[in-house]
Amino acid sequence: MYKIHNYRLLLLFSLIVLLAGCESETKMIDESIFGFDYFPVAIDDYRIFRIDSTIYDNDGLIVIEKRTFIEERITELFINGEGDTLYVLQRSARGSDNEEWRAVDNWLVGVSSENGYRIEENLKFIKMVFPLSVGTRWNGNQFNEFTEVTIAGETLQAYKHWDYEVLANNVNIDVNGTSYSNVFQIQQADDDIGIERRLSHEWYAPGIGMIRKYMEILDTQCTSACDGQTWAQKAERGYIVEQVLIDHN
């Protein structure tokens, strides 16, 4: 009986040690390694961006340069039919600091344990997947790649050949005079087939979200005659856009 009693005590002690070890390991998990902090979402969060656009029209004979300021503010949340929590992103625009903000549209933002996404003009973009890790690739555009958009009265397939990838982390970058560290760079597209250029990159800072975006969505029919020219020189339609963060809470 003495030996059996000691055996039971030893078994109970081993079980307690094992459970304590498991509990300790659970407490030590650092959620920051998943990258949730790079896609923060909360009511009353706002971001103000400066957007510089170059638009090509009329076979490249017309080039329009435009600067716009966009404020994105999360105003409310709701639960959709699938049980997902979605946040309403109210977007306002103005042409300069001297103008009043004018409401332009509402987009949606969602985040789960697997990804962070936005629904822009009824198009769903999975901006990042968790955990964030260099080399991770995914299909970020949840719609037909041949979906057309209208730019300066002309339609083009802006999202052909997009292939998302976490390109780099721990990037140090200066945006609008502010230095950011530990930045993730996500490549959404980088394709050039001679008559079409599709390039899109975004940069994300911890605790803030996207701080910079750069896009080249360009088409041309000028091939051999334009050898040696840059896309900015030979583009006949499309746009180049740089979006930078200038203020946030």
Side-chain angles (χ1 to χ4, degrees):
M1 293 293 293
Y2 177 76
K3 290 183 180 181
I4 294 176
H5 180 67
N6 279 354
Y7 174 77
R8 289 175 176 172
L9 286 178
L10 179 61
L11 182 62
L12 178 60
F13 177 76
S14 299
L15 181 60
I16 291 173
V17 170
L18 178 62
L19 290 175
C22 292
E23 182 179 357
S24 176
E25 288 182 10
T26 301
K27 289 182 178 178
M28 290 177 61
I29 292 177
D30 183 2
E31 288 193 357
S32 65
I33 66 175
F34 291 95
F36 301 130
D37 198 33
Y38 287 84
F39 202 85
V41 183
I43 298 294
D44 291 330
D45 275 1
Y46 74 85
R47 310 283 185 269
I48 298 177
F49 297 94
R50 184 184 71 239
I51 302 177
D52 292 307
S53 307
T54 303
I55 300 171
Y56 297 85
D57 190 19
N58 194 24
D59 293 332
L61 298 177
I62 298 176
V63 179
I64 304 168
E65 294 188 351
K66 183 179 181 181
R67 170 167 288 183
T68 307
F69 296 89
I70 292 289
E71 179 191 67
E72 297 185 341
R73 183 180 295 270
I74 296 176
T75 57
E76 58 182 301
L77 64 82
F78 66 94
I79 309 298
N80 67 7
E82 288 72 42
D84 297 329
T85 300
L86 292 175
Y87 295 81
V88 176
L89 190 68
Q90 179 181 286
R91 302 178 75 248
S92 302
R94 65 184 182 185
S96 70
D97 292 337
N98 299 323
E99 297 180 14
E100 295 292 327
W101 291 108
R102 65 184 187 282
V104 290
D105 51 20
N106 289 327
W107 290 353
L108 297 175
V109 180
V111 62
S112 70
S113 60
E114 297 179 348
N115 56 58
Y117 62 92
R118 287 162 61 116
I119 300 175
E120 308 173 356
E121 307 290 350
N122 295 319
L123 299 178
K124 184 176 180 179
F125 300 86
I126 298 178
K127 295 293 188 174
M128 62 178 60
V129 295
F130 306 121
L132 276 176
S133 179
V134 173
T136 299
R137 303 177 72 167
W138 68 98
N139 176 19
N141 296 355
Q142 301 297 290
F143 50 87
N144 193 307
E145 68 170 330
F146 301 110
T147 295
E148 294 184 334
V149 299
T150 301
I151 303 296
E154 296 188 80
T155 59
L156 70 162
Q157 297 166 341
Y159 305 109
K160 291 175 65 175
H161 311 302
W162 282 44
D163 182 18
Y164 287 58
E165 181 180 358
V166 179
L167 206 61
N169 65 350
N170 296 322
V171 174
N172 297 321
I173 184 174
D174 185 88
V175 176
N176 194 49
T178 300
S179 296
Y180 298 91
S181 58
N182 299 321
V183 170
F184 268 90
Q185 181 180 358
I186 295 178
Q187 175 179 286
Q188 299 166 325
D190 189 359
D191 189 68
D192 186 341
I193 62 171
I195 60 172
E196 296 175 345
R197 173 61 164 157
R198 301 294 183 264
L199 173 72
S200 184
H201 284 208
E202 294 180 344
W203 289 259
Y204 290 82
I208 299 173
M210 194 184 77
I211 57 174
R212 181 174 183 254
K213 181 183 183 77
Y214 181 79
M215 300 179 70
E216 294 181 5
I217 307 298
L218 303 168
D219 287 355
T220 187
Q221 293 300 317
C222 187
T223 54
S224 58
C226 294
D227 285 348
Q229 292 185 7
T230 66
W231 267 104
Q233 295 170 325
K234 67 182 181 180
E236 294 178 342
R237 62 177 181 165
Y239 55 91
I240 298 175
V241 173
E242 182 176 29
Q243 178 175 335
V244 298
L245 182 70
I246 62 174
D247 193 17
H248 65 91
N249 60 356

